[in-house]
């Protein structure tokens, strides 16, 4: 899917220099000012429950070429990011639908659910389950929008990522107590081996 719009999700495990230096902001500014073909939007934010983990989201008009993130292959950006992390960044390329996911990032809180799909799960049926589980969110108070997609790079080919925009974590908790949430969440949980769930208060670095 070389022409499919892609969101590159980069996970950075911060060291003390993330907060005591401007290296990260300078790296993002270099990325923003770059002339990389297809780069559209940049968002970033710390995980609310794990402030030592910073998420970087890069929207591309088409799938980036090569097996490495652009931030790892550009010397200046890589040097600045290397100074603020404890371990090499991890990268996922996700084909979100709908794209772009701007409604999710426009919310005060962006929820991400990263799940490993069971090998025996029927993906055609699972796709319907994901659609149904997100559809019931749309009319619920405090939900700004949803999107989801599979990780398309080979190492994460059995992963799916759901993204939801919320007014607050409390709105999300209230939704999860509803009957529609209970009915649609159970089949999703049945289809996956494990899930990582976190909130990000995203900042738009594209401007």
């Amino acid at each position: 899917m070389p022409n499919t719009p892609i969101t590159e999700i980069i996970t950075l495990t911060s060291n003390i220099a993330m907060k005591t230096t401007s290296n990260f902001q300078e790296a993002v500014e270099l990325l923003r000012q770059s002339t990389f073909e297809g780069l559209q939007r940049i968002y970033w934010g710390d995980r609310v429950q794990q402030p030592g983990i910073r998420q970087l989201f890069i929207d591309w008009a088409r799938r980036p070429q090569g097996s490495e993130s652009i931030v790892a292959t550009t010397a200046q950006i890589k040097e600045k990011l290397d100074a603020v992390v404890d371990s090499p960044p991890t990268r996922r390329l996700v084909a979100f639908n709908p794209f772009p996911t701007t409604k999710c990032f426009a919310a005060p809180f962006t929820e991400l659910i990263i799940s490993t799909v069971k090998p025996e799960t029927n993906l055609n049926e699972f796709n319907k389950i994901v659609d149904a589980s997100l559809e019931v969110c749309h009319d619920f108070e405090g939900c700004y929008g949803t999107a989801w997609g599979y990780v398309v790079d080979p190492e994460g080919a059995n992963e799916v990522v759901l993204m939801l925009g919320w007014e607050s974590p409390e709105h999300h908790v209230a939704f999860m107590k509803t009957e529609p949430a209970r009915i649609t969440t159970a089949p999703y949980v049945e289809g996956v081996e494990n899930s990582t769930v976190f909130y990000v208060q995203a900042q738009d670095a594209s401007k």
Side-chain angles (χ1 to χ4, degrees):
M1 51 178 66
N3 295 320
T4 301
I6 290 291
T7 300
E8 182 175 3
I9 302 177
I10 301 171
T11 302
L12 306 162
T13 303
S14 308
N15 63 27
I16 189 64
M18 183 71 84
K19 295 188 181 297
T20 59
T21 73
S22 60
N23 280 2
F24 177 79
Q25 287 76 12
E26 291 172 9
V28 171
E29 183 62 18
L30 285 169
L31 184 60
R32 189 183 70 82
Q33 293 181 354
S34 70
T35 57
F36 297 128
E37 183 179 357
L39 191 155
Q40 296 184 328
R41 284 163 295 273
I42 307 166
Y43 302 92
W44 69 272
D46 294 328
R47 294 189 184 183
V48 173
Q49 307 97 315
Q50 300 168 287
I53 300 180
R54 182 161 292 185
Q55 300 291 157
L56 181 61
F57 306 88
I58 308 172
D59 281 348
W60 297 94
R62 62 192 62 82
R63 182 172 179 172
Q65 298 300 307
S67 59
E68 285 192 288
S69 167
I70 196 69
V71 301
T73 55
T74 306
Q76 278 186 296
I77 298 175
K78 183 178 186 300
E79 180 181 1
K80 291 185 179 297
L81 290 183
D82 283 349
V84 298
V85 297
D86 279 335
S87 56
T90 60
R91 174 216 201 195
R92 291 177 173 89
L93 299 179
V94 183
F96 279 112
N97 181 31
F99 180 93
T101 57
T102 47
K103 288 184 178 179
C104 298
F105 285 124
F109 290 85
T110 304
E111 177 195 7
L112 277 94
I113 304 168
I114 303 174
S115 302
T116 302
V117 181
K118 291 178 180 177
E120 65 271 22
T121 296
N122 181 306
L123 292 184
N124 288 330
E125 292 302 315
F126 184 72
N127 294 350
K128 296 175 185 177
I129 289 169
V130 178
D131 283 337
S133 68
L134 294 181
E135 182 64 31
V136 296
C137 297
H138 292 165
D139 294 329
F140 192 81
E141 181 183 1
C143 181
Y144 281 55
T146 67
W148 74 278
Y150 288 104
V151 175
V152 298
D153 44 325
E155 291 185 5
N158 62 336
E159 289 186 321
V160 63
V161 181
L162 281 62
M163 186 182 293
L164 304 91
W166 293 103
E167 181 67 31
S168 70
E170 290 74 22
H171 283 85
H172 175 219
V173 171
F175 167 73
M176 292 304 296
K177 293 178 179 179
T178 66
E179 185 69 5
R182 186 188 68 79
I183 291 172
T184 57
T185 299
Y188 178 87
V189 172
E190 180 64 27
V192 302
E193 292 181 344
N194 53 69
S195 296
T196 299
V197 184
F198 57 90
Y199 300 106
V200 172
Q201 290 185 285
Q203 301 186 39
D204 186 349
S206 309
K207 300 172 182 178

